[in-house]
Amino acid sequence: MRDTTTPGSAMRRTGSVMFVVGPLLLVLALPHDLPGVPFRAEGVVDWLGFMWLALFLYLLLALVVGEAARPLLHRLPAAVDAPREPVLSRRVFVSRVVGGGAAAVALGTVGFGAYGVLRGPRVKRITVPLAKLPRSAHGFRIAVVSDLHLGPLLGRGFAQHVVDTINSTQPDLIAVVGDLVDGSVQDLGPAVAPLAQLRARHGSFFVTGNHEYLYDARRWIDVVRDLGVHPLENALVELPGFDLAGVNDVEGKRQEQGPDFARALGDRDRSRTAVLLAHQPRMIDEAVEHGVDLQLSGHTHGGQLWPGPYVAELVMPTVAGLHRYGDTQLYVTRGAGAWGPPVRVGAPSDITVIELASRQA
């Protein structure tokens, strides 16, 4: 601010206020359900606080690159002869070029990333061959959606767009793999109402994510069930050609509602193909132990904000896409929404349609 603005100018005052108020708004945005704050007002605080976070991140990264280029800019010859008493010194001029360029890059990056979230997820299609899948189930299509994070920032309109997009793919089955909401049933009941419109030949199924356990997971499970989406709470459903199982998220352990693989998969016929819904990819080890053929997960957002994918790789076995672990395959969707800043950079949101393929076909 000192090198790029004039002392006492409106730009310096505005910038100084932004760098003081921004962190305060972020602190207020991090916890949801602020006491005494109306839900709509909470949305305004969240927008301002989280957008400041995204802008600050990419401004910082752009400035790091700009600082590396600063010595080169100082060595460039002047385009015209400088006046005897120049208005700007070369140091101030270079600082303004670097700072202005960094601000433009940050604003453009965050703006494009926000547009990607608000536009809604795009459909991604992949084929997954499964060794034990019978010929009769060849071509079975599962629409996988995760991490909508409906809340103060993404509400009913966003949910309706996601539902319409899923229905347009005409899936055989819909899997909602956790982190549906960021808020209470009282505040977000209308936002999730469009889920009642989900249509698939073999129905829609839901497993909890870690965020459901922040807002009374038991009530949210009841709401989802009332909307016609079947919760799989450490349970298994036999479908034509394969078994569909679901386990609670590991966050549920704190409320004695954690994952129970033995209950969900222990008594099944292992000659049949098993598809498991589990919110977090790190549950893959238990899936392998229980002979699961395909695990469908979310949680990572694909890293959401670059360079987030590189950080996520340090703690998650798979950040996005399809990978094999022994005889078990794991697919991780980047999710449909966003947590924190309603921005995605280098990790576009998606709804994935997985087509199961039989090796016997």
Side-chain angles (χ1 to χ4, degrees):
M1 294 301 298
R2 183 190 63 201
D3 286 350
T4 58
T5 60
T6 304
S9 67
M11 184 65 73
R12 176 169 290 196
R13 289 195 296 270
T14 301
S16 299
V17 169
M18 183 179 71
F19 278 96
V20 172
V21 174
L24 296 178
L25 289 171
L26 176 61
V27 170
L28 292 174
L30 286 172
H32 289 297
D33 296 331
L34 291 171
V37 178
F39 185 69
R40 291 185 179 275
E42 187 177 332
V44 174
V45 172
D46 285 4
W47 265 104
L48 295 174
F50 284 127
M51 289 302 283
W52 177 88
L53 174 62
L55 280 169
F56 182 78
L57 169 64
Y58 288 105
L59 181 61
L60 179 62
L61 292 174
L63 284 173
V64 169
V65 176
E67 287 301 312
R70 184 187 290 267
L72 298 176
L73 294 173
H74 275 292
R75 293 177 184 176
L76 291 176
V80 296
D81 292 335
R84 292 181 180 179
E85 295 181 3
V87 176
L88 295 178
S89 67
R90 177 172 284 268
R91 180 184 65 82
V92 174
F93 174 75
V94 169
S95 293
R96 290 189 176 182
V97 169
V98 172
V105 168
L107 286 169
T109 301
V110 172
F112 184 76
Y115 167 75
V117 171
L118 299 178
R119 175 196 61 199
R122 296 297 176 89
V123 175
K124 179 179 178 181
R125 300 177 185 271
I126 67 168
T127 299
V128 180
L130 297 173
K132 294 185 293 184
L133 190 73
R135 185 190 299 266
S136 60
H138 180 76
F140 193 100
R141 289 171 295 117
I142 303 175
V144 183
V145 62
S146 180
D147 300 280
L148 275 77
H149 289 284
L150 300 177
L153 301 183
L154 301 174
R156 183 179 181 126
F158 181 80
Q160 185 67 61
H161 179 74
V162 169
V163 167
D164 291 343
T165 302
I166 293 172
N167 287 342
S168 71
T169 68
Q170 299 182 323
D172 296 305
L173 182 146
I174 299 167
V176 184
V177 198
D179 279 7
L180 175 64
V181 292
D182 270 322
S184 66
V185 172
Q186 178 181 352
D187 289 332
L188 293 176
V192 302
L195 268 68
Q197 303 169 27
L198 288 172
R199 296 290 180 267
R201 186 157 57 104
H202 292 281
S204 305
F205 296 86
F206 168 78
V207 293
T208 53
N210 53 304
H211 281 239
E212 271 74 54
Y213 293 100
L214 302 176
Y215 305 101
D216 196 345
R218 188 75 268 149
R219 287 194 65 192
W220 273 119
I221 289 171
D222 292 339
V223 168
V224 167
R225 182 183 291 108
D226 290 342
L227 292 171
V229 182
H230 309 293
L232 286 176
E233 300 181 77
N234 300 320
L236 179 144
V237 174
E238 291 187 4
L239 296 172
F242 67 95
D243 296 333
L244 180 71
V247 291
N248 296 345
D249 186 72
V250 293
E251 186 69 22
K253 290 181 179 180
R254 300 184 181 184
Q255 302 174 25
E256 298 183 354
Q257 300 177 45
D260 188 337
F261 283 82
R263 178 181 168 189
L265 296 160
D267 296 330
R268 75 177 190 88
D269 179 0
R270 289 209 175 195
S271 67
R272 286 171 54 86
T273 296
V275 177
L276 174 70
L277 309 184
H279 178 65
Q280 299 196 38
R282 61 177 172 164
M283 300 166 86
I284 186 63
D285 291 337
E286 290 89 344
V288 171
E289 290 177 8
H290 286 83
V292 169
D293 298 277
L294 174 64
Q295 175 178 319
L296 303 177
S297 299
H299 184 64
T300 68
H301 298 202
Q304 187 168 326
L305 295 172
W306 188 93
Y310 301 108
V311 178
E313 286 179 354
L314 300 176
V315 294
M316 289 292 162
T318 295
V319 176
L322 182 67
H323 291 82
R324 178 177 289 277
Y325 296 83
D327 293 329
T328 302
Q329 296 182 77
L330 167 64
Y331 179 78
V332 182
T333 171
R334 291 189 177 97
W339 182 84
V343 178
R344 282 177 174 264
V345 178
S349 58
D350 70 69
I351 294 166
T352 303
V353 176
I354 293 181
E355 183 172 323
L356 306 182
S358 170
R359 297 190 184 277
Q360 304 170 28

